[in-house]
Amino acid sequence: MQESKQNKKYIRYITFMAAFSALAYISVIFLKIPMIVFLKYEPKDVFVILGGLIFGPLFTIFLSIIVPFLELITVSSTGIIGFIMNAISTFFYVLPPVLFYAKRRSTKSLLYGLIIGTIVLTVVMIMWNYFLAPIFFGYTREAAVQILVPVILPFNLIKGGINAVLILLLYKPVTNVLVKSNILKKIDFEGFKNERKIITSIVATMLILTVIFVILSYFNVV
């Protein structure tokens, strides 16, 4: 009985993962808006967070890889470096609100998580652009530094802010509709065993890699 319930849970999990991946991917194709210089906004992180608020933090980590990978093999012109930057951007932005909300399901927790997610996104993307922009654009390190504050910083603050507003407006209505229509069930809101340990390990690894690459870049090792 327990095994059957778990199998059903996995099937629903994978099904919804495919659905949210498709929604996020479609938003990349049809809702991309030019913003600052070469940077464009698309609301895919909104769908990633909405899925994570329902299915948990591990769900967002999977989507953070799946959606950028779909972009890489279909519409992206930025190659593997664009994929890396895309995945990192989504990963660091979506996890804070989902983790905060998983701990305490309230609008206030979600708001705090979105604010922290926007700050983390902005700081981390400055660090990763410092490392990867010279490789991707062929800039000198000094030239890459020149775009961090006037371009990278405001873009990510604006992007995080827009996503936050959309999520706060959409989460409750979307969830209520899905629950009332019996598309979402109680089993969908339950997490998986050892999920927290897995997430902690992944986050720690990503933070360590970020610091290592920035240090190597600073000393011109890479």
Side-chain angles (χ1 to χ4, degrees):
M1 183 69 178
Q2 185 65 30
E3 185 177 349
S4 175
K5 181 181 177 181
Q6 195 70 6
N7 289 339
K8 182 179 179 181
K9 184 176 179 179
Y10 281 123
I11 292 170
R12 291 183 60 80
Y13 192 83
I14 294 170
T15 301
F16 277 104
M17 188 176 296
F20 276 94
S21 295
L23 289 170
Y25 177 73
I26 290 169
S27 76
V28 172
I29 304 299
F30 296 105
L31 299 175
K32 189 169 286 189
I33 304 170
M35 286 188 64
I36 302 175
V37 192
F38 55 87
L39 298 172
K40 298 178 181 180
Y41 168 80
E42 80 281 326
K44 73 170 182 295
D45 291 350
V46 173
F47 294 101
V48 176
I49 291 179
L50 289 176
L53 295 176
I54 298 167
F55 295 95
L58 199 56
F59 192 88
T60 64
I61 293 176
F62 288 134
L63 291 188
S64 297
I65 299 170
I66 293 171
V67 180
F69 180 74
L70 291 174
E71 291 181 60
L72 172 66
I73 62 176
T74 55
V75 298
S76 176
S77 60
T78 55
I80 189 65
I81 292 181
F83 163 73
I84 292 170
M85 295 291 278
N86 205 349
I88 289 170
S89 170
T90 299
F91 175 87
F92 279 106
Y93 176 68
V94 303
L95 267 183
V98 173
L99 287 171
F100 268 68
Y101 195 74
K103 188 172 183 180
R104 185 173 182 180
R105 291 182 173 270
S106 69
T107 303
K108 184 181 289 187
S109 293
L110 178 57
L111 176 60
Y112 289 158
L114 288 166
I115 292 171
I116 291 173
T118 301
I119 294 170
V120 171
L121 166 70
T122 304
V123 172
V124 167
M125 292 315 293
I126 285 176
M127 296 170 74
W128 275 93
N129 274 279
Y130 177 78
F131 166 56
L132 286 178
I135 300 173
F136 181 68
F137 293 109
Y139 293 164
T140 62
R141 189 74 61 193
E142 291 74 18
V145 170
Q146 296 301 312
I147 69 169
L148 297 181
V149 173
V151 177
I152 304 301
L153 186 148
F155 171 75
N156 285 293
L157 287 176
I158 295 169
K159 174 183 173 180
I162 294 173
N163 286 339
V165 171
L166 291 174
I167 290 158
L168 290 170
L169 290 174
L170 292 174
Y171 175 62
K172 287 294 184 182
V174 169
T175 305
N176 289 339
V177 168
L178 292 175
V179 169
K180 288 179 180 178
S181 61
N182 207 33
I183 294 173
L184 284 178
K185 302 181 184 297
K186 183 180 178 180
I187 191 174
D188 297 322
F189 293 88
E190 299 172 1
F192 287 101
K193 188 178 180 182
N194 297 323
E195 184 174 10
R196 184 170 295 181
K197 290 182 180 178
I198 295 171
I199 293 164
T200 301
S201 299
I202 294 173
V203 171
T205 301
M206 291 297 296
L207 289 173
I208 291 169
L209 286 174
T210 300
V211 172
I212 289 173
F213 284 129
V214 170
I215 291 173
L216 292 175
S217 301
Y218 181 79
F219 288 104
N220 293 318
V221 176
V222 292

